[in-house]
Amino acid sequence: MLSVPTDWHQWITGGLVLGAVVVLTSGRFGADIVFMGVLAALAVLGILEPTDAIAGFASPAVITVGLLYVVSAGMKQTGATQMLASRLLGNPKTVRSAQARLTLPVAAVSAFVNNTPIVAMFLPVLTGVAKRGGFSASKLYMPLSFASILGGVCTLIGTSTNVVVAQLVAAERLTDEQGEPIRFGMFTLAAVGLPIAFAGLAYMLLFGRKLLPGKSDEQDAPMSAREYTTAVRVRSGSPVIGKTVEAAGLRHLPGLFLSRLDRGDDAIPAVAPDEILAEGDVLTFVGALESVVELQQTRGLEPVGDGSRAFGGYSANRKLVEAVVSTSSPLVGQSIRRAGIRTRYGAVVVAVHRLGQRLGGKIGDITLQGGDTLLLEATSGFEERQVGSGDFYLVSARAEDAALRHDRAWLAIGVLAGLVVLISTGLAGPLLGALLAGGAMITLRCCTGPQARSSIDLQVLVTIAAAFGVGKAIADTGLAATIAHAVTDVAAGLGPTALLASAYVLTSVFTMTMTNNAAAVLMFPVAVSIAGDADLPVMPFAVVVAVAASCEFSTPIGYQTNLMVMGPGGYRWLDFTRFGGPLTLLCGAVCVGLVQVLYG
């Protein structure tokens, strides 16, 4: 058994936590490595029993967060989130219109889907939206990240932080006046989160044009020198049938130029924006590789392949592979259509790159040369079979899947809706609901087992699990009580509002230097101690900690999605401080005021 906590236990625990903050601020090590190091030190020094140190790895919160990643993978792999995005964004003509069309749906979807895949889904399309509207894409990237954060604070599953705090509340075994247990339900945070989201969105729409920088490094950069030629066919039942090229969003795709349209035996080399698309139309594009890959995953379009037809449909057995044709390859001198690539290699050509040349005509008529780079949709094992074969100089598989499971998009949306209903009605808790939803995504083939496993962010899970152990040390050593006494000594005379504000500020400071999940876990025992010292209910402080741990916008390291948009937006650290600092203060004021009214 552990001995009674002593002062030196507090000093060591406090020193280790402070050291972790300093190391995390330097950016030299990941949060998972740092917190595992602190956890190991606490166990070795006898401050934590080994079983207590690793208890976080069996926490329902950690398992629930991992399962929610699988649910997000199902939404992504079916193109469900992409489908929602394309329908909601449209073609805005002004900055404010673009920000409104972007932030409102992103906030709504983020209330039920993990923030990271949502931001990753919208990132590639924003440059094209900005170009069509004639403004800088940097006006959109930061609002994208902030909107996903604001939406996440509205529901239990909106962000992993809420799941973590809900688990911490459950562990406290709190009861109401009737003796009933108090829990974080699906919409417990909505009464506070929705007003915060509305206030934050209003702030961004009012001040986004003035406070955000007007230049995006990505937008102003020239298109990649690796210019690929690709062709896609309009499939039967495609949502673009009957629409003009402009209305279908295919006129000004980011990094792509629509070079021609083939309809039967007719070729249209200069495609007008009002050209109406029909089933079977073949569209030829020229542009950057990343944009070509995204085009292949567009709902309703399929790669043409050898010039006549591609594999078609979805198969988890196919991947995108880059291969450079060798000068001794039997493909040299043959057209793509006559080369027999499908029968010889079990692959179809998706796009072709020839250095220094823009290739014209139909993709199937291109005569291959040594040094041509082919983007292939290939069956499993293609890379292993061709290494050393002499037909290709270089074979490299890409991380992206060859196609998305668009036919299962509505199934994925149905599974997500079922998860919301189960948790909202109390038919299942967060863990059981996430387990059923994650299992349904795999069973219904919205995503495969390997895709589900690869979607889970182990760094986040390890950080949360380790932070649980560190948080227990903060509570057991009396460090949380010591900090709480110091806070109450200063703020108690100013009333409950000042105590809530103090808890919010402390959590925000933690979030500025480490992950939001870790900040919530470390601050929760301190918040509980503050409530105990002041003889106040714990629930208001739990809500404050949950919101403050997510709503930190003044630094790029305050939330993972901020780091995701920093590079594409061409932002500097001070850009987040200038635009996000006031938003952080606004969210804090709204949160503390509402919590005081609702729980006071």
Side-chain angles (χ1 to χ4, degrees), residues 380-451:
S380 179
F382 175 88
E383 186 178 11
E384 291 78 7
R385 291 194 302 269
Q386 298 308 317
V387 171
S389 69
D391 292 357
F392 301 99
Y393 285 135
L394 178 66
V395 179
S396 175
R398 295 185 58 84
E400 302 92 340
D401 289 317
L404 298 180
R405 301 168 178 243
H406 293 294
D407 59 323
R408 301 187 177 275
W410 287 108
L411 276 176
I413 293 174
V415 170
L416 178 63
L419 171 62
V420 174
V421 170
L422 283 174
I423 299 179
S424 302
T425 58
L427 292 174
L431 175 58
L432 179 58
L435 181 62
L436 292 173
M441 287 293 188
I442 298 174
T443 302
L444 296 174
R445 295 185 297 161
C446 295
C447 64
T448 64
Q451 289 168 344

Side-chain angles (χ1 to χ4, degrees), residues 101-112:
R101 285 173 176 258
L102 173 69
T103 57
L104 293 174
V106 164
V109 176
S110 292
F112 304 102

Side-chain angles (χ1 to χ4, degrees), residues 24-190:
L24 288 170
T25 304
S26 71
R28 295 186 61 187
F29 299 96
D32 54 339
I33 301 299
V34 173
F35 275 94
M36 283 299 296
V38 173
L39 194 64
L42 291 170
V44 169
L45 294 171
I47 297 174
L48 274 179
E49 289 282 4
T51 52
D52 290 334
I54 65 172
F57 290 88
S59 166
V62 174
I63 300 172
T64 302
V65 171
L67 290 168
L68 289 176
Y69 277 117
V70 178
V71 176
S72 294
M75 292 290 290
K76 177 183 177 182
Q77 294 298 329
T78 59
T81 45
Q82 186 184 66
M83 179 179 70
L84 295 173
S86 61
R87 294 188 177 187
L88 294 170
L89 269 180
N91 294 298
K93 302 301 181 184
T94 66
V95 172
R96 183 166 293 170
S97 174
Q99 290 174 341
R101 285 173 176 258
L102 173 69
T103 57
L104 293 174
V106 164
V109 176
S110 292
F112 304 102
V113 182
N114 186 273
N115 298 352
T116 303
I118 291 177
V119 172
M121 174 194 69
F122 275 92
L123 275 176
V125 304
L126 293 188
T127 301
V129 170
K131 285 182 177 178
R132 290 193 294 271
F135 48 84
S136 172
S138 64
K139 299 290 186 181
L140 301 178
Y141 286 115
M142 201 181 297
L144 166 64
S145 174
F146 289 0
S148 72
I149 296 170
L150 290 168
V153 300
C154 297
T155 68
L156 175 64
I157 63 173
T159 175
S160 57
T161 305
N162 297 345
V163 176
V164 169
V165 174
Q167 171 62 25
L168 293 169
V169 170
E172 287 293 314
R173 302 184 183 279
L174 305 174
T175 58
D176 57 20
E177 295 178 355
Q178 288 73 39
E180 295 295 324
I182 297 175
R183 294 188 178 90
F184 257 43
M186 173 62 80
F187 298 108
T188 297
L189 286 172

